Structure formats: C-alpha cells, structure tokens
Amino acid sequence: MKKLLAKSYDEAIEFLLKKYGPSQYDYFSEKSYQRFMNGEIKNITRGKFTRSGEGLYCHHIDEIKVLKISDQLFIKENNIPFEYQRKERLVYCDLIEHTILHVLIIKEAPPELGAIGYDAYLKPMIEEWYVDKFIPKPEWMKVCRQRSFLNDDEAILIVKAMEEALGRTYHDTPFDFHETRRRRKEKIKEEIEERRRKWEEEWTKGREERRAREEEIQKKQMEEFYRTYPKFKSKGIHPQTSRVKLINLLYEYKYNDSFKNKKELEAALKPMIKDKLLRELHIVLESS
C-alpha cells in the first residue's frame, strides 16, 4: 500500500485499472441523467457499476477536478457534465486504496476536493473498522471490511503513512490512538464541566443581583408607604397586609358600634378597593 501512496494520482489510477479492470457500466443512466438535468425527474437512475459484493468501491477518476461528483444536489447546482459519469471515468479500489486516492487528490489538487472524503469518511472508517475493531451491520460493508482487512497495528501504520504524506502527524501505535482519544474525551468532559460551573456561577450571581435589586425596590416602596401612612409603622401594617386584617382593625377602631360583627362589616366594605381601606384606616388611626 505504501508503494501506491508513493505514486502520482494518474499512476495510481492506471495501477488500479490494471488490477481490477475497467467498469462495464456508466455510473448513472445517461437518459435518466439528462432528464434529471432538465427537471423532468427528481432522482437519477444508477448504472450497474457496483462491485461492493467483491468488497470494492467505485471511484470517479475526475474527483480530482470536481467536488462531490456523484452528489445529485452538486450535479444540478454545478451542471456537472455526464462525461464524468461514463464507465471510462470510473475505477475500482478497496477501502485502503480508495483512501490513498483521496490523499493523492489532496496533494495534487485543491485540498478540499479530496479532504471531505478523506477526513470525514474514509480515514475514520479505517480507524473504526480496524483499530476499534467495529464490524458494520450492512453485509456489503462487511465484505468491504474483509477485502482490505488489517490488524490494528497495520491500520495505524498505513494511516500514519497517509498523514505524513500530507505533512501531518499521527499515532505510532494502537495504544497511542486509544490513549489520545481517552485524553480528548476527558478534556471535552472537563470543558463541559467548566462551562457548566461558569454557567452556575453566572446564574447564581445574577440571581443574587436580582434579589438585591428586588430588595432595594421593596425597601423604597416600604419607605414611600410609611411616608404616605406614617401611623401604620407602629401597628405593623405594610403593603402586603391582608384585607381581612385591615377590616378587622377598622371594626376595632371605628365600626364595632355600627355593625354586629366583623362579617357584616366585611360584606359592607366588599366593593371598596384596598387603597381606600388603607386611607380610611389611616385617617381613623390619626384621629384616635
């Protein structure tokens, strides 16, 4: 595999065409492709190019020129010509070879043309299948996994070679790989915990500030209340004093001779709003 990595992209394509033979079918049906481009249908019919039953992927040779060459959205938006989908522009490869092709694209073309497939899909798949020893559920993936099977040491070495070809560093052993992942998870956990702690501190600080503001407002309201009703302070009457207590005091200081009991007075004063009750009670206390 390292020999393939040392080739140019064109040399690697030529090697793989000789190894697996050319495709016998176009990637898409040409008629369906044109109908899709004309807006007559929503999806393009694929050709019978697949060899996933043999554990092989189909790679567009012109991926070194065009991004997401088989993505229907990109095909439509970028008016990708059908010429790129013809059988002569397809090559077969196993997972490792496919990944190497994307490394060579990154090296020889604008990096984004190969980076999406390499960094987001192919390299993580090698790590998952061979270093993590994960077995995928779809049967065709199991066949692809077995076709290019590597033990974890071999997988680390080939990915390390790919990364070094791109001027990057990588793990030396499977232990390093897992240990780095463990430390990364711990760091993420610590960062999440730190964010949570800061959020709690800010929330607590905000709550205390809100409470202080509310207390200040209540204090000013109380001061204003006693400026308006100075006689209430010694009686323990405040803005939250209930209607029942105010009526009871009115009965005690003024209406005990006019009504048989407090209930009669309460019924008589029912239409009166609380502010009026406060004013009347204060007048009574002033005159007593």
Side-chain angles (χ1 to χ4, degrees), residues 106-152:
I106 295 171
K107 288 178 64 179
E108 297 182 23
E112 63 272 14
L113 291 175
I116 294 176
Y118 174 74
D119 289 310
Y121 179 66
L122 296 168
K123 179 168 74 76
M125 189 174 291
I126 294 174
E127 294 170 336
E128 185 178 65
W129 285 3
Y130 304 129
V131 185
D132 288 330
K133 299 179 173 60
F134 174 79
I135 300 176
K137 289 185 178 180
E139 286 300 320
W140 71 269
M141 283 189 172
K142 290 178 182 177
V143 176
C144 289
R145 179 180 184 273
Q146 191 59 39
R147 174 86 192 211
S148 55
F149 186 81
L150 299 172
N151 62 40
D152 54 357

Side-chain angles (χ1 to χ4, degrees), residues 260-274:
K260 291 180 182 180
N261 52 51
K262 295 174 184 177
K263 284 188 177 181
E264 282 192 3
L265 176 60
E266 186 176 355
L269 296 179
K270 192 172 183 179
M272 187 178 291
I273 64 174
K274 189 176 179 180

Side-chain angles (χ1 to χ4, degrees), residues 92-105:
Y92 294 100
C93 46
D94 65 22
L95 173 61
I96 307 304
E97 293 162 343
H98 195 189
T99 309
I100 289 173
L101 288 178
H102 278 259
V103 171
L104 297 177
I105 290 173

